[in-house]
Amino acid sequence: MGVLLVLIAGLVGVAAAGTCPPGQYLNEYTVQDYAITPSIPVGGAKYKMLRVPNTNTNPIPSSWFSTGFDDSAWPESVLPFGDNLHTCTSYFANEGVQGTVGTLWPIGGSGTKAVLFVRDTFVLPAAAVAKFGDPKGLRLEYIVDNDLVYVGLNGQSQLAEKKIRDNCSGVTRPDSEMLDLSKLQVGENLLTIHVEDRHVMSYFNYRIIVQVCEDKEVSCEDCSA
């Protein structure tokens, strides 16, 4: 059965992204989307998560981002993560993200941080690569209240520094990070993410996007291989 790749935009000259030969367009396809329906994983993804309510008393697990880390004790989860008081989606209605929390991520107490570690196994289908060619870019698009601390792809760090972010009300669009395309594999890949909340409300949701070169800007409802 073909794996669905959802077209999200037809773009040319995306900053810090892949480039295409003259006459071709850089189109973007969603490999793994924001959660649209609560409690239903999308894109065949397998999410494992660890919630650390207070990093002052609970140490960060060693090598949690490595491909060989044993996450069998981590519970499975679904997007989005958040507390029951969040208002993030009211600011991102045009992005199609949902308001219902899929996995509870409780906030920390006053003066502490609520920390979330995510290990996400996603698939880049060989059939899709055969159809669209080798990807020219890989992008993580995310919404977080508050901070993105670490992103890893197949055990390799992808962030040069921690991304400090305002509450959702202070941001008008999702943030985005280009990832190292050379670390992407055909088949299964491991995305590891560490986010923190600085009290009051928590929320985290994201999608993974590949960029490919094509002869025209593509508009299709079924881009499955």
Side-chain angles (χ1 to χ4, degrees):
M1 181 174 65
V3 179
L4 182 65
L5 295 182
V6 181
L7 179 73
I8 64 170
L11 303 174
V12 181
V14 177
T19 56
C20 296
Q24 288 196 319
Y25 293 87
L26 191 66
N27 290 318
E28 293 196 324
Y29 293 87
T30 299
V31 174
Q32 180 179 302
D33 205 353
Y34 291 122
I36 304 302
T37 304
S39 302
I40 299 178
V42 296
K46 301 174 183 177
Y47 305 92
K48 303 280 282 189
M49 62 87 185
L50 178 67
R51 294 167 290 198
V52 181
N54 185 346
T55 52
N56 297 326
T57 58
N58 294 281
I60 296 175
S62 176
S63 303
W64 68 274
F65 51 82
S66 68
T67 55
F69 180 78
D70 182 7
D71 62 9
S72 59
W74 291 26
E76 292 190 0
S77 55
V78 295
L79 293 175
F81 301 95
D83 67 274
N84 288 326
L85 300 175
H86 74 84
T87 58
C88 279
T89 49
S90 64
Y91 300 101
F92 295 96
N94 292 335
E95 306 300 326
V97 299
Q98 64 168 27
T100 305
V101 168
T103 301
L104 186 64
W105 176 25
I107 61 174
S110 179
T112 66
K113 296 177 181 179
V115 179
L116 180 69
F117 299 94
V118 179
R119 290 172 57 85
D120 173 1
T121 302
F122 72 95
V123 175
L124 177 65
V129 174
K131 178 173 182 177
F132 295 105
D134 292 332
K136 303 301 181 184
L138 179 66
R139 186 161 67 87
L140 174 69
E141 185 179 279
Y142 63 95
I143 302 167
V144 63
D145 188 344
N146 293 103
D147 304 325
L148 183 70
V149 179
Y150 176 90
V151 176
L153 180 62
N154 293 322
Q156 301 298 312
S157 176
Q158 301 291 299
L159 281 186
E161 59 184 6
K162 178 178 178 178
K163 302 297 182 180
I164 305 297
R165 203 187 131 114
D166 201 351
N167 294 327
C168 284
S169 59
V171 182
T172 57
R173 293 189 61 82
D175 286 324
S176 183
E177 291 291 332
M178 295 303 299
L179 306 183
D180 184 353
L181 188 62
S182 69
K183 307 304 180 186
L184 182 66
Q185 305 170 166
V186 177
E188 283 196 348
N189 292 268
L190 176 67
L191 181 70
T192 49
I193 304 175
H194 171 189
V195 292
E196 293 179 349
D197 174 67
R198 290 181 260 116
H199 195 46
V200 182
M201 290 179 287
S202 63
Y203 185 82
F204 181 51
N205 204 348
Y206 64 94
R207 60 181 169 183
I208 304 168
I209 297 160
V210 294
Q211 300 171 330
V212 298
C213 292
E214 298 182 276
D215 292 335
K216 61 181 179 180
E217 292 181 305
V218 177
S219 177
C220 61
E221 296 181 358
D222 184 3
C223 297
S224 57

